[in-house]
Amino acid sequence: MTSVPTNVPAVDPDAAEDPSARRGRRRAPRSERSRAEARLGWWLAGPAFIIMVAVIFYPVLQALWDSLFNYRLTAPDEREFIGLQNYATILADGVFWSALGVTALITVVTVFVELILGFALAMIMHKAIKATRGLVRTVILVPYGIITVVSAFSWYYMFSIDSGFINNWFSWLPGIDAELNWFAQGSTALLVIMFSEIWKTTPFISLLLLAGLAQVPDDLSEAAAVDGANWWQRLWRVILPNMKAAIMVAVLFRALDAFRVFDSVFIMTNGAYGTEVLSLLAYRTSIGRLEIGLGSAVSVVLFLCVGIIALIAVKVFNVDLAGGRGGRK
Amino acid sequence: MRQFRRSGGSARRWAGVAVTATAALVIAGCAPADDTPVLTWYTNPDDGGQAEIAQQCTEQAEGAYRIETSVLPNEAASQREQLTRRLAAGDTSMDIMSLDPPFIPELAEPGFLAVPPSDVVEATTKDTLEGALAGATWKDTVVTVPFWANTQLLWYRKSVAQEAGLDMEGQVTWDQLIEAAADQDKEIGVQGARAESMTVWLNALIESAGGHILENPEASADEVRLGLDTDAGRAAAGVISTIGQEGLGSAGLATQAENESMLLFQGDSGSFMVNWPFVWPATNGAVEDGALPADLPDDIGWGLYPAMEEGKDPAPPLGGINLGVGAASEHQDLAWDAVQCIVTPEHQTQYFVTNGNPPSSASAFDDPSVEEKFPMAPVIRDSLDLAKPRPQTPYYNEVSTAIQQRFTPPSSVNPETTPAETGQFIQEVLRGESLL
């Protein structure tokens, strides 16, 4: 606990409510040695910090700048400043809205299913007896260790009408027979893409939820049980509220990941038959068509969407991650 | 104490290794440098034939240059992406490139390719087949050197053709094939996937019907005129639509590219197939491995690509690889010397026999070993004379991708509306008004 300095300057009463201001007032005057260490720290970490900032912001700023031009890589002399025209073209085009819709659908469905499955797996891992705990965790994490492209190819070949075995194995289910070409229509192709995403990344969510589950004190659950709460009530009233931060981190990380889905779609359908997603559209425009301006605009829109998702997640869960304590208003 | 001694010994060993490694580096650094100019040849993946020719040409150069190969991605579109990005960035290592003909105008127009000297053009194209030379040219200038040429043939099951009473020695039409396959409840091997193969198929159909996908391929993006909404375009769409809607291309048609259509043709429901010559060595290889019946090759025949109408010439697809030299290459003269070595008729023959890729040089077909290995070589040669390149425009990628999007799946193609809608879509994309 730091002592309160005696020479605290007078502050505005409103500002006193500000936590940062509160923290500022409590800060003790630093010694010369402490300041020297801080300076050394900046000298040591500064270059890395500057490089990190450059690496992160340079491409973003470059994309923002390029998105204001009509610029094709194979016609550098015809580069022309057109302001926000690229954004107008994108937002007025059905291809963009369709890709946005498919991306949102994949994100919502996969994150929702993964959250439920991931929680179930986290419970299993949490409750697994000590002797088998390591084995259970390893087995559950295997899909996450597989490279996404490899996993996408596996799922593609499983469901392919030429080489796949799924039609044969599940022909007893209505709607599945030897003639079903999964990747020839959007509905079935998206189903396979979402299956593969869920299979691949559920372990990731379960790992994050397991960490959250481990932080819930057993005393709380036991006390609730003594008060007569059944399992369901303990889950909803005790366990889940206490792992709010872990759930938010899991949902946020996975939602951002799912929104940037690329590999699975690229391998399985390459965006054909209504499976185009935003990242593939950005790739096709920038790299395929070499339309750097238009492609950068798509990338910037994708970046904004990701930012909005992060903002929504933080607002909805109302978690102060900086404070280090979950669930605090 | 014992542990301490062990770790001390380990440290000494590591120190020894470090000293040896440093000494090796110093010695290597002091060794006389090999100043032979190195030419990088970006090759498309094959069975090692280009690397072999690179080695042979390096030996023949007797120290004038050394060719090192660098393999590009599998798909032609991915090869184009990588080459274009590097060329646009002024990569000086782009000495020799194996280029797919449709992508050449896009690279030639902004001046990314070095124009070959006239003596090189003369020496390397004197007996080049007409179709292959057309694919190497942009705006009446030869900008690349043909290395090998490819074309699609009509492959057929002799038993099916015989049952249908078709004279396969003469020219057959798409209508005849459709009728024969439908009557015998068989499937036709065509490429209906959303891929480059769809543009290849559509172009062959339209050209054979007397039309063109682009009327003025050399025009700028906003002046390009489309030839899709024409009688030829509608007739071509009619063939694709019929095969798709009547289920003649199998249930897998919508995702079927060259390899999948070959597998279909090799199966019990196979009848006719349009495909590249690679299917012959692939089928024989599968027979040798026991994956296919031993008598299957005896039932397979080949002929010229189907025509759209009786009495009209077919327009078989043209493929292959041309060699280009990067405008930013630091060894352009040596690169053209190397290109001349690579494309000699002898090397083209060798490449055909070992890797199955047909020559672009007429005289390369004369070697007896060619027909021994590929009995269909005379048909390939005739087909190359008739072959028509895909639209040669700097905007080929946009045109092709738009066609792929609108003509797949084949069952959704409507001959009355699809060609017109596709034409309009391509123009919107080229004017920058639509995403692709």
Side-chain angles (χ1 to χ4, degrees), chain A residues 72-74 89-90 93 95-96 161-162 179 181 183-184 271-273 276 281 283-284 287-291 294, chain B residues 80-81 84-85 88 106 110 112 192 194 251-252 254-255 260 394-395 397-398 408-409 429 432-436:
Chain A
R72 185 187 166 86
L73 199 61
T74 49
T89 303
I90 291 167
D93 200 304
V95 172
F96 167 75
I161 192 168
D162 307 298
E179 301 278 281
N181 191 351
F183 301 112
Y273 309 134
E276 180 93 312
L281 182 65
Y283 165 80
R284 198 190 307 288
I287 311 295
R289 292 181 60 190
L290 306 165
E291 290 282 2
L294 199 57
Chain B
R80 164 191 164 271
E81 284 167 10
T84 311
R85 286 206 307 273
E106 186 180 36
F112 291 167
R194 185 171 290 186
T255 50
E260 290 80 16
Y395 308 101
N397 183 61
E398 275 88 347
T408 56
V429 168
E433 295 166 2
S434 274
L435 290 168
L436 191 57

Side-chain angles (χ1 to χ4, degrees), chain B residues 49-185:
Chain B
Q50 290 174 102
E52 175 66 27
I53 293 173
Q55 176 65 29
Q56 289 168 0
C57 286
T58 298
E59 284 165 16
Q60 283 176 32
E62 294 177 336
Y65 56 78
R66 192 171 77 239
I67 305 176
E68 282 182 1
T69 53
S70 179
V71 183
L72 292 164
N74 251 330
E75 301 291 325
S78 307
Q79 293 167 19
R80 164 191 164 271
E81 284 167 10
Q82 189 176 131
L83 290 169
T84 311
R85 286 206 307 273
R86 282 167 173 253
L87 286 167
D91 187 338
T92 53
S93 80
M94 312 298 281
D95 299 314
I96 308 170
M97 295 164 284
S98 291
L99 301 169
D100 217 4
F103 302 127
I104 289 170
E106 186 180 36
L107 304 180
E109 182 68 14
F112 291 167
L113 299 180
V115 177
S118 54
D119 58 321
V120 173
V121 174
E122 200 176 325
T124 54
T125 60
K126 55 186 174 222
D127 71 341
T128 300
L129 297 168
E130 199 182 324
L133 192 58
T137 306
W138 172 241
K139 289 187 172 170
D140 299 325
T141 304
V142 175
V143 291
T144 54
V145 172
F147 172 37
W148 57 274
N150 213 355
T151 185
Q152 286 197 0
L153 303 181
L154 169 65
W155 304 84
Y156 59 91
R157 300 290 282 266
K158 291 175 184 169
S159 51
V160 177
Q162 195 177 4
E163 178 75 23
L166 288 175
D167 172 19
M168 300 306 289
E169 296 298 315
Q171 183 64 58
V172 291
T173 65
W174 280 99
D175 287 344
Q176 287 174 314
L177 301 187
I178 288 169
E179 197 182 326
D183 285 350
Q184 295 178 53
D185 203 18

